């Protein structure tokens, strides 16, 4: 470790450039991971807040909530919280507009009990609604009247709730009585809680776990796969870049290694020196990337869905350091094959 640090201090520019490269790639990786998490949360945040275990849909719905229409027979044979979904543009008297997912549910349901109102209260009567916090950020207020496009239904905001987005759109919670003029009282799904373990699927019903349901959300799996591909490719880039730079540096230092070996320095020590340099550079680069990533997430506008969590930081940091150490193993063969006799000129 002493030799590694001493050498890095002597060659500040060379090693500084490698650290800068690790910093930039790590920063990009942290931002991509944050965007992936943020977009995933926008798709499923409301579902996570429900505290649900399973969901029962129409068997022909392909797992899509909007395509599910449960029959009266299915509803009679299933127990759980019934939900109805309607997607529409809503406008306020102040000409504010928002594309929203309207979810109807009963006040006796476990989903209603699990909902939290950060401001105001939950809906209690017809045409009153509990809306996502995003409405507040867009200028809507408690008491605001909002109208659903292509209908005469007028809603009154009585409260705001956090983490209420479904398929990216903010959610409006209301009663079945409110949404009946919009979808003729159709029930799209029955949701069961952790306490109620649904056993038998109805003959014309499709039972999915909540994770299965989330994976079937429109665009969710494709988006997740795309980000995972980019993140995985960046790890490969880090591995290749570290390997190339350390290979070049090792080639340039072969005469020095020959002299050290002639003086009795073991090959193991020189190999550990290379690994130590890679570890130090990756730790410094990752540490700076985390700082820049956090600063970026704080200064980005709220419209950018970026979430840099502790778990993401830990996993990303460990992954980058492992790739760096693997990359430093490439030039080890050169170090082991150095012949002090040939290097010195014997």
């Amino acid at each position: 470790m002493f030799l590694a640090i001493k050498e890095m201090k002597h060659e500040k520019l060379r090693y500084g450039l490698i650290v800068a490269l690790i910093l930039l790639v790590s920063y990009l990786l942290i931002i991509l991971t944050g965007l992936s998490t943020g977009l995933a949360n926008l798709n499923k945040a409301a579902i996570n807040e429900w505290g649900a275990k399973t969901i029962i849909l129409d068997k022909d719905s392909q797992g899509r909530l909007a395509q599910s229409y449960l029959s009266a027979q299915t509803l009679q044979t299933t127990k759980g919280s019934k939900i109805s979904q309607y997607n529409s543009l809503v406008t306020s008297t102040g000409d504010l507009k928002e594309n929203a997912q309207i979810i109807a549910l009963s006040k006796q349901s476990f989903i209603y009990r699990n909902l939290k109102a950060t401001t105001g209260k939950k809906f209690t009567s017809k045409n009153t609604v509990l809306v996502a916090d995003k409405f507040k950020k867009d200028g809507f207020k408690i008491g605001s009247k909002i109208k659903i496009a292509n209908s005469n239904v007028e809603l009154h905001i009585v409260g705001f709730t956090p983490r209420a987005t479904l398929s990216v759109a903010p959610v409006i919670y209301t009663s079945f009585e409110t949404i009946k003029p919009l979808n003729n009282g159709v029930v799209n799904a029955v949701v069961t809680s952790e306490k109620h373990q649904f056993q038998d699927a109805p003959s014309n019903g499709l039972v999915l776990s909540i994770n299965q349901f989330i994976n079937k959300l429109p665009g969710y799996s494709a988006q997740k796969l795309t980000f995972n591909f980019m993140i995985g490719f960046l790890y490969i880039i880090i591995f290749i870049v570290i390997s190339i730079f350390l290979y070049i540096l090792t080639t340039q230092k072969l005469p020095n290694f020959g002299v050290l070996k002639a003086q009795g320095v073991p090959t193991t020590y020189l190999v550990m020196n290379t690994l130590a340099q890679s570890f130090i550079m990756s730790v410094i680069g990752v540490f700076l990337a985390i700082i820049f990533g956090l600063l970026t997430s704080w200064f980005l506008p709220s419209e950018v869905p970026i979430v840099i969590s502790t778990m993401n930081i830990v996993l990303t940091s460990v992954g980058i350091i492992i790739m760096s150490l693997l990359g430093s193993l490439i030039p080890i063969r050169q170090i082991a094959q150095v012949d002090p006799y040939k290097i010195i000129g014997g």
Side-chain angles (χ1 to χ4, degrees):
M1 184 69 77
F2 172 78
L3 179 60
I5 296 174
K6 198 74 174 177
E7 187 178 359
M8 292 177 70
K9 285 183 178 180
H10 182 70
E11 298 286 352
K12 295 183 180 68
L13 180 59
R14 290 183 180 181
Y15 290 99
L17 289 173
I18 300 176
V19 170
L21 193 59
I22 294 174
L23 160 64
L24 293 175
V25 179
S26 301
Y27 172 74
L28 180 58
L29 191 57
I30 289 172
I31 294 299
L32 278 178
T33 304
L35 288 173
S36 175
T37 303
L39 286 171
N41 287 344
L42 279 180
N43 274 291
K44 63 180 182 178
I47 301 173
N48 290 338
E49 292 298 303
W50 294 351
K53 178 72 175 179
T54 55
I55 186 168
I56 298 97
L57 303 164
D58 176 15
K59 67 178 182 179
D60 297 322
S61 65
Q62 298 182 332
R64 305 293 177 87
L65 184 61
Q67 297 173 195
S68 176
Y69 303 94
L70 292 181
S71 64
Q73 178 186 359
T74 302
L75 294 174
Q76 290 175 356
T77 57
T78 55
K79 295 180 180 179
S81 296
K82 299 174 177 61
I83 60 172
S84 185
Q85 181 263 353
Y86 186 82
N87 182 31
S88 178
L89 178 72
V90 296
T91 59
S92 73
T93 52
D95 204 28
L96 297 172
K97 297 180 180 180
E98 190 71 69
N99 187 34
Q101 296 274 6
I102 303 172
I103 301 292
L105 46 89
S106 169
K107 290 187 291 183
Q108 286 72 43
S109 68
F110 72 90
I111 297 177
Y112 183 87
R113 292 194 298 270
N114 288 339
L115 293 178
K116 299 177 178 62
T118 53
T119 308
K121 60 181 181 180
K122 302 178 187 180
F123 69 87
T124 54
S125 57
K126 183 179 179 181
N127 292 346
T128 61
V129 292
L130 176 70
V131 301
D133 275 342
K134 188 177 187 303
F135 280 87
K136 185 192 296 185
K137 296 176 183 176
D138 292 343
F140 292 84
K141 300 177 181 178
I142 290 180
S144 294
K145 295 180 180 180
I146 55 178
K147 187 176 180 181
I148 299 176
N150 301 319
S151 76
N152 295 320
V153 177
E154 189 176 72
L155 309 174
H156 302 267
I157 298 176
V158 295
F160 296 96
T161 184
R163 298 175 295 278
T165 53
L166 178 60
S167 295
V168 182
V171 173
I172 295 175
Y173 291 106
T174 189
S175 63
F176 282 106
E177 190 179 9
T178 301
I179 203 175
K180 188 174 182 179
L182 304 174
N183 66 353
N184 297 319
V186 168
V187 175
N188 297 100
V190 176
V191 185
T192 65
S193 67
E194 292 284 352
K195 296 180 180 179
H196 178 71
Q197 302 294 325
F198 189 80
Q199 299 295 333
D200 301 319
S203 57
N204 59 340
L206 173 67
V207 180
L208 298 173
S209 69
I210 284 300
N211 287 335
Q212 290 173 326
F213 174 62
I214 289 173
N215 286 328
K216 288 181 177 292
L217 291 174
Y220 179 82
S221 295
Q223 170 195 294
K224 189 176 179 182
L225 183 62
T226 301
F227 272 101
N228 287 342
F229 174 79
M230 289 190 291
I231 290 169
F233 194 70
L234 277 175
Y235 278 120
I236 296 174
I237 290 175
I238 292 173
F239 170 73
I240 294 173
V241 166
I242 293 293
S243 301
I244 292 173
F245 274 87
L246 288 179
Y247 185 86
I248 294 172
L249 286 176
T250 302
T251 301
Q252 294 173 342
K253 294 186 297 183
L254 287 180
N256 297 332
F257 287 146
V259 173
L260 290 171
K261 280 191 173 184
Q263 293 176 343
V265 177
T267 301
T268 305
Y269 181 84
L270 298 177
V271 170
M272 293 304 296
N273 175 71
T274 302
L275 291 173
Q277 286 178 342
S278 178
F279 178 77
I280 293 170
M281 289 187 296
S282 61
V283 168
I284 294 173
V286 168
F287 178 74
L288 293 175
I290 290 172
I291 294 175
F292 290 142
L294 291 174
L295 289 174
T296 301
S297 66
W298 290 337
F299 287 105
L300 281 176
S302 58
E303 287 78 11
V304 181
I306 183 170
V307 177
I308 300 179
S309 64
T310 303
M311 181 61 69
N312 282 346
I313 288 176
V314 171
L315 292 176
T316 301
S317 301
V318 171
I320 293 170
I321 292 172
I322 290 175
M323 288 296 106
S324 299
L325 291 175
L326 289 176
S328 66
L329 295 176
I330 302 298
I332 285 179
R333 185 168 177 270
Q334 284 183 298
I335 299 173
Q337 290 181 340
V338 170
D339 187 344
Y341 183 77
K342 292 181 180 179
I343 289 293
I344 294 174

